[in-house]
Amino acid sequence: PDRLSTLQSLVQRLDKCQRSLSDYLETKRIAFPRFFFISDDELLSILGSGDPTSVQQHMIKLFDNCESLIFKTSRGSTTASGMVSSEKESFDFRENVAAEGPVEEWMLNVEHEMQKTLYQIMKEAVIAYPKHPRTEWIMMYIGMTVLMVSQIWWTYEVEDAFQQVRQGNKLAMKEMRSKLISQINDIVKLVRSNLDRLSRKKINTLIIVDVHARDLVDGFVRDSILDAREFQWESQLRYYWDRTADDVAIRQCTGTFNCGYEYMGLNGRLVITPLTDRCIMTLTQALSMGFGGSPAGPAGTGKTETVKDLAKA
């Protein structure tokens, strides 16, 4: 007797428990929004364990390409001191983050420290670039910094060449082209030398970006583009170190974007074709007007990959 009513009351109580649990997990996710990327079960396993290292197996879902954190334990307290990418490239935080208290709070601190440290590394690399031979400089910094800073300096040098043309040096752009070709030759020599796996990956990605830069300048020389206000230059993703904001500004046509300082590791870049260039320009213009984009086309043509590549850029 009463079996049905007992079961009904149990179901109601279970529902109530599950609703309360969902509300509780929701508060944690609002405190650290990256928890939206993992399932309820995974989030519970992190919250239910008092061990800070329990986040390790979920790091790859929480951060774009971060496989694990580097933890240090001293005098009974644990601190997060750096990040390791899935290719095993790593960097150290400038200030260690104490892994204590509610997990969503110290993970938020880890995220801020990642952005702060990568910003500082980026700024140091921008300043160090002209002081060292390029091949030496490449070896001094992590992959994502090398890519971005070399594009910042490339943008500056191309605009400088436009400036020189305006002042009367008609050959400035041809000289720029020769410089880019010799830079590519230098890193090709470097690739053929005896390198470790990480440096080779880093240089391979740099070659992809450098070849695109050379092709563009080739086009400027061929079509005699002699002004920085020409559409062929305006329509490129251009990287600047904005002195007033003291930060990276990424510009294309009318849009300006900031760098998110998300740790990328060495996850490579796609070869840039005229078509992906046009897709990327359309997307950045849509974003700058507060719209979204919707790449359409057959399966397996690289729509998603192009959008991901833009995000990396």
Side-chain angles (χ1 to χ4, degrees):
D2 298 337
R3 180 60 52 91
L4 181 62
S5 57
T6 310
L7 285 173
Q8 283 170 336
S9 83
L10 283 173
V11 166
Q12 278 173 346
R13 279 154 62 197
L14 181 63
D15 275 353
K16 193 176 171 191
C17 287
Q18 282 182 315
R19 268 203 306 278
S20 306
L21 178 63
S22 297
D23 292 347
Y24 169 70
L25 293 180
E26 187 75 12
T27 59
K28 297 292 183 187
R29 287 190 164 123
I30 287 166
F32 183 60
R34 289 178 188 242
F35 282 151
F36 280 107
F37 295 138
I38 59 177
S39 68
D40 287 358
D41 296 350
E42 289 172 322
L43 182 50
L44 271 175
S45 74
I46 293 177
L47 296 171
S49 138
D51 180 14
T53 56
S54 63
V55 296
Q56 291 288 44
Q57 67 215 68
H58 309 296
M59 282 303 289
I60 195 80
K61 291 182 183 172
L62 296 174
F63 290 87
D64 185 47
N65 191 26
C66 166
E67 189 179 64
S68 58
L69 289 170
I70 303 167
F71 282 109
K72 285 184 181 162
T73 310
S74 65
R75 300 199 193 104
S77 66
T78 306
T79 54
S81 64
M83 283 185 160
V84 183
S85 76
S86 36
E87 303 82 22
K88 301 289 181 273
E89 184 192 56
S90 62
F91 75 100
D92 292 327
F93 294 151
R94 293 293 157 94
E95 286 176 29
N96 291 352
V97 179
E100 287 156 0
V103 66
E104 68 278 8
E105 285 178 15
W106 67 259
M107 283 296 284
L108 204 57
N109 295 339
V110 164
E111 185 185 3
H112 292 326
E113 188 53 43
M114 166 186 81
Q115 292 165 341
K116 211 167 84 188
T117 300
L118 288 174
Y119 165 76
Q120 287 172 343
I121 294 173
M122 199 76 79
K123 189 171 177 180
E124 285 163 17
V126 168
I127 295 165
Y129 185 90
K131 298 178 184 170
H132 300 273
R134 190 161 183 256
T135 45
E136 264 176 44
W137 173 85
I138 290 167
M139 295 311 201
M140 290 160 59
Y141 295 96
I142 55 176
M144 60 176 283
T145 307
V146 167
L147 274 187
M148 183 158 311
V149 174
S150 69
Q151 284 174 286
I152 290 172
W153 276 95
W154 166 74
T155 306
Y156 166 75
E157 286 168 348
V158 171
E159 297 210 336
D160 187 50
F162 282 133
Q163 187 78 29
Q164 286 180 31
V165 169
R166 199 178 302 153
Q167 288 165 359
N169 176 7
K170 291 280 179 262
L171 297 173
M173 198 50 82
K174 283 184 178 163
E175 287 162 12
M176 179 67 201
R177 182 177 69 176
S178 313
K179 182 176 178 179
L180 288 174
I181 290 170
S182 75
Q183 280 185 354
I184 291 177
N185 290 339
D186 288 345
I187 56 177
V188 167
K189 270 189 209 131
L190 200 55
V191 155
R192 289 177 178 164
S193 64
N194 192 9
L195 289 176
D196 56 274
R197 195 174 53 84
L198 292 179
S199 304
R200 191 172 295 281
K201 258 194 144 155
K202 174 165 65 178
I203 292 167
N204 283 348
T205 312
L206 186 62
I207 288 176
I208 290 172
V209 175
D210 273 6
V211 165
H212 177 63
R214 182 207 60 194
D215 290 350
L216 265 175
V217 173
D218 267 352
F220 294 163
V221 171
R222 189 184 61 238
D223 306 334
S224 52
I225 306 284
L226 299 174
D227 196 311
R229 290 165 299 185
E230 295 253 17
F231 182 69
Q232 277 92 324
W233 177 240
E234 283 277 310
S235 65
Q236 292 304 320
L237 261 185
R238 310 183 309 284
Y239 293 76
Y240 298 89
W241 187 267
D242 187 337
R243 294 217 171 152
T244 45
D246 199 27
D247 201 354
V248 177
I250 304 164
R251 299 194 181 121
Q252 189 168 29
C253 300
T254 55
T256 301
F257 304 91
N258 297 329
C259 175
Y261 297 109
E262 175 84 5
Y263 181 48
M264 290 286 155
L266 295 168
N267 53 8
R269 285 289 176 83
L270 296 182
V271 171
I272 308 159
T273 68
L275 178 63
T276 55
D277 250 348
R278 270 166 58 192
C279 292
I280 283 175
M281 181 170 67
T282 311
L283 288 170
T284 55
Q285 291 320 289
L287 283 172
S288 67
M289 298 173 206
F291 292 109
S294 172
T301 49
K303 300 182 292 293
T304 314
E305 287 302 323
T306 301
V307 175
K308 280 162 65 179
D309 202 57
L310 171 59
K312 288 179 198 175

